[in-house]
Amino acid sequence: MENKIYALMGTHGSGKATMASQLLDMGIHFIPVYTTQDFSMQKRTRYHVSREHLFKTVTREEFNRLDFVIEFSHKGESYGYRKDDILNALRDHTISVMILEIEALRPMSKLLKKKLETIYLMVDYVTLVDRLLRLGCNNDEIKIHLQYAENNKEFDLWKICNHIIRNTCEKEKALIQLLSIMGLTTLIPQEEFNRLTK
């Protein structure tokens, strides 16, 4: 089987960090994002999942010294994916996961070609606003997040991603779909299936 990188995409609050953390807890290799953004005030998701192992915060000087295969700006901060992290993932891991922002989609697609599978975590406005409220965002912050998503066409990513998961219900349902996309589910013997469906 060809080694692949699965990139989680979606708006702020779509569940990228929650899904990535669950996969990481299961032992699936994760490629971190290096950033100058300080997550100390927002280290956890609505499920109280730490973001520190997903986003590596570094100073501007440290960021400039790192060897990135792709770097970009997102909401005024610098982000990058280390060259060694990408190469090691493709060499050493059948499946790797990353969080990919829209600004890095085109260069990452050109670089990885068929080794990249993009997964869009789709949420509706009502669910998104509810999640942002639970994350502690005020009305002005929610408006900024929604305007940013609209202006940068994050709600349209479903049109260009390889896979779509409607992430509006329980996180367990989205996780099962995600595992299935990555080929990490197995068929059960027919006798067991018959027993479960009776």
Side-chain angles (χ1 to χ4, degrees), residues 151-191:
N151 293 342
N152 289 281
K153 303 194 182 320
E154 289 184 337
F155 291 114
D156 294 333
L157 278 170
W158 65 271
K159 297 175 182 177
I160 55 175
C161 283
N162 301 109
H163 309 276
I164 302 167
I165 295 175
R166 188 168 177 260
N167 190 20
T168 56
C169 300
E170 301 85 27
K171 64 181 178 176
E172 292 76 17
K173 286 185 180 180
L175 181 62
I176 289 168
Q177 292 177 57
L178 190 51
L179 291 171
S180 180
I181 288 169
M182 294 189 294
L184 296 175
T185 53
T186 58
L187 295 173
I188 59 173
Q190 188 64 46
E191 300 80 29

Side-chain angles (χ1 to χ4, degrees), residues 1-72:
M1 186 163 113
E2 185 180 35
N3 291 5
K4 286 200 170 186
I5 295 174
Y6 292 86
L8 303 178
M9 303 192 72
T11 62
H12 182 75
S14 63
K16 300 184 299 286
T18 298
M19 291 295 110
S21 293
Q22 290 202 303
L23 294 170
L24 190 57
D25 288 345
M26 295 171 70
I28 296 171
H29 180 253
F30 182 80
I31 301 168
V33 185
Y34 285 79
T35 179
T36 56
Q37 181 176 353
D38 181 10
F39 281 96
S40 61
M41 298 302 290
Q42 185 192 0
K43 287 185 178 178
R44 300 189 177 274
T45 68
R46 66 193 179 101
Y47 288 109
H48 308 292
V49 174
S50 174
R51 295 174 186 267
E52 292 173 328
H53 51 287
L54 306 176
F55 298 93
K56 304 286 187 186
T57 300
V58 294
T59 64
R60 174 70 56 195
E61 294 76 27
E62 290 171 316
F63 188 89
N64 291 335
R65 285 195 300 267
L66 291 170
D67 186 17
F68 293 114
V69 67
I70 292 173
E71 60 182 278
F72 59 96

Side-chain angles (χ1 to χ4, degrees), residues 37-197:
Q37 181 176 353
D38 181 10
F39 281 96
S40 61
M41 298 302 290
Q42 185 192 0
K43 287 185 178 178
R44 300 189 177 274
T45 68
R46 66 193 179 101
Y47 288 109
H48 308 292
V49 174
S50 174
R51 295 174 186 267
E52 292 173 328
H53 51 287
L54 306 176
F55 298 93
K56 304 286 187 186
T57 300
V58 294
T59 64
R60 174 70 56 195
E61 294 76 27
E62 290 171 316
F63 188 89
N64 291 335
R65 285 195 300 267
L66 291 170
D67 186 17
F68 293 114
V69 67
I70 292 173
E71 60 182 278
F72 59 96
S73 293
H74 179 71
K75 296 183 181 178
E77 297 289 350
S78 295
Y79 289 76
Y81 301 95
R82 289 180 58 234
K83 180 180 179 180
D84 286 347
D85 290 344
I86 300 293
L87 292 175
N88 292 342
L90 291 172
R91 185 190 66 220
D92 300 333
H93 302 277
T94 306
I95 294 172
S96 295
V97 175
M98 69 185 337
I99 292 174
L100 190 64
E101 300 298 341
I102 192 169
E103 295 88 346
L105 175 58
R106 181 168 284 146
M108 195 66 81
S109 296
K110 283 184 180 178
L111 178 72
L112 298 177
K113 298 185 169 86
K114 293 182 179 179
K115 294 183 180 290
L116 179 70
E117 292 283 328
T118 51
I119 303 168
Y120 181 59
L121 299 176
M122 181 182 280
V123 288
D124 55 57
Y125 270 93
V126 174
T127 303
L128 192 55
V129 169
D130 179 60
R131 288 182 184 173
L132 293 173
L133 286 169
R134 289 188 205 192
L135 285 169
C137 295
N138 61 38
N139 288 343
D140 290 335
E141 290 169 326
I142 291 171
K143 185 177 178 182
I144 289 168
H145 285 305
L146 293 176
Q147 282 180 335
Y148 183 90
E150 283 285 351
N151 293 342
N152 289 281
K153 303 194 182 320
E154 289 184 337
F155 291 114
D156 294 333
L157 278 170
W158 65 271
K159 297 175 182 177
I160 55 175
C161 283
N162 301 109
H163 309 276
I164 302 167
I165 295 175
R166 188 168 177 260
N167 190 20
T168 56
C169 300
E170 301 85 27
K171 64 181 178 176
E172 292 76 17
K173 286 185 180 180
L175 181 62
I176 289 168
Q177 292 177 57
L178 190 51
L179 291 171
S180 180
I181 288 169
M182 294 189 294
L184 296 175
T185 53
T186 58
L187 295 173
I188 59 173
Q190 188 64 46
E191 300 80 29
E192 180 69 12
F193 178 81
N194 293 342
R195 187 183 66 74
L196 290 172
T197 55

